[in-house]
Amino acid sequence: MIDIASTDRVFVLTGAGVSAESGLPTFRGEGGIWRERRAEEIATPGAWKRDPRFVWEFYSMRRRKALEVKPNPGHAALAALEGEIGDRLFLCTQNVDNLHEQAGSREVVHLHGELLKSRCESCERPPFSDAQTYEPSAPLPRCDCGALIRPHICWFGEVPFHLDRIFRALGACTVFVAVGTSGVVEPAASFAAHARSGARARTYYVGPEEPANRSSFDELFLKKSGDVLPGLFTVHS
Ligand code: OAD
């Protein structure tokens, strides 16, 4: 149980594990996305340059899958927490699906981008909503400027989104909770240590296995997030 006082500010970081019970695969576990394919062949600027069609086929497959799934009780519990404490919750996800939003979360900061958005690879046109999928023979999408349209995803070697806001929130939080993330991908893997050293936040982990950054947490709840999150927070007014 995590007690939330009226003065607490809560930072929640979610990873692929929070969407696992909805039917989306994680990256590194059994049946994980990077167990079946090499990330360097798909999720890097180099892969895009070499073979944009192959990259679009991969993200088209993930878009199709993401459009089929529904939020689970873990997502719902985080939306309910926002309902209770409002902007004292900062919800940051490494996930590119929109299951937090589908569950009713209004403010979700997507560190690694969004699967259902695209952007121009070249010009300043802002990212836009896009659920289009591409069959192997379909022409690839192009911007009015002539350059290719790419998925709005942070690939390995690129700078994650919203880092200024995220580090401000980490500096201000008094409670930090990581959910369903293996703790190996930076910078997210260091967020718990940052919250603990700077803001002296209490730090918690939720997920069935110990994460690689286990030493950054004061307490671990080693169960599925759909089982733990619905009863985890007690909000005091
Ligand atoms: P990982 O696949 O590395 O880790 C998923 C974690 O979820 C593991 O620690 C599992 O134990 C845990 N898990 C599995 N089922 C769960 C459940 N029902 N409830 C709670 N936890 C569960 O995924 P991430 O840590 O999210 O980046 O991966 C981080 C980043 O690496 C991703 O955002 C992605 C990937 O490459 C990019 O694509 C840029």
Side-chain angles (χ1 to χ4, degrees):
M1 193 75 86
I2 301 177
D3 285 304
I4 310 290
S6 60
T7 50
D8 276 326
R9 301 192 80 83
V10 183
F11 189 117
V12 175
L13 170 71
T14 62
V18 80
S19 296
E21 289 158 82
S22 293
L24 291 179
T26 61
F27 290 92
R28 294 172 182 80
E30 206 177 308
I33 292 174
W34 300 149
R35 289 282 187 96
E36 291 170 6
R37 306 166 183 81
R38 280 161 43 88
E40 308 79 59
E41 284 167 11
I42 305 175
T44 61
W48 172 251
K49 215 167 160 196
R50 267 194 313 278
D51 196 347
R53 179 171 298 283
F54 184 62
V55 174
W56 261 125
E57 280 170 27
F58 172 70
Y59 286 102
S60 295
M61 179 268 291
R62 289 187 59 197
R63 277 182 177 179
R64 279 190 284 270
K65 182 79 191 155
L67 287 167
E68 285 168 10
V69 297
K70 295 279 169 249
N72 66 57
H75 298 105
L78 293 173
L81 181 63
E82 183 184 26
E84 286 193 84
I85 67 171
D87 65 5
R88 289 192 292 120
L89 172 68
F90 189 92
L91 177 56
C92 175
T93 185
Q94 297 168 88
N95 299 344
V96 297
D97 65 56
N98 67 357
L99 291 174
H100 285 304
E101 288 90 342
Q102 278 195 53
S105 287
R106 277 171 304 184
E107 286 292 327
V108 186
V109 176
H110 284 271
L111 174 68
H112 290 161
E114 292 175 72
L115 190 55
L116 296 176
K117 285 188 180 173
S118 300
R119 69 174 194 265
C120 178
E121 65 168 355
S122 171
C123 78
E124 295 301 308
R125 178 182 174 185
F128 56 93
S129 297
D130 185 15
Q132 187 72 44
T133 58
Y134 299 95
E135 302 304 329
S137 56
L140 292 181
R142 287 195 179 270
C143 180
D144 292 344
C145 77
L148 284 174
I149 295 290
R150 59 165 277 180
H152 183 50
I153 301 283
C154 172
W155 289 324
F156 289 99
E158 296 184 319
V159 179
F161 304 105
H162 312 296
L163 287 179
D164 286 354
R165 280 178 74 191
I166 289 169
F167 277 98
R168 268 199 307 279
L170 284 171
C173 72
T174 53
V175 175
F176 177 94
V177 187
V179 183
T181 174
S182 54
V184 296
V185 174
E186 295 291 356
S190 298
F191 287 176
H194 192 88
R196 189 146 77 165
S197 65
R200 303 197 182 282
R202 291 126 64 198
T203 57
Y204 303 92
Y205 181 77
V206 177
E209 298 161 298
E210 288 198 354
N213 56 351
R214 189 242 172 281
S215 62
S216 299
F217 295 98
D218 298 323
E219 196 174 343
L220 287 85
F221 300 92
L222 293 177
K223 288 189 183 146
K224 292 179 176 181
S225 50
D227 292 336
V228 173
L229 289 176
L232 187 61
F233 302 102
T234 304
V235 177
H236 303 274
S237 50

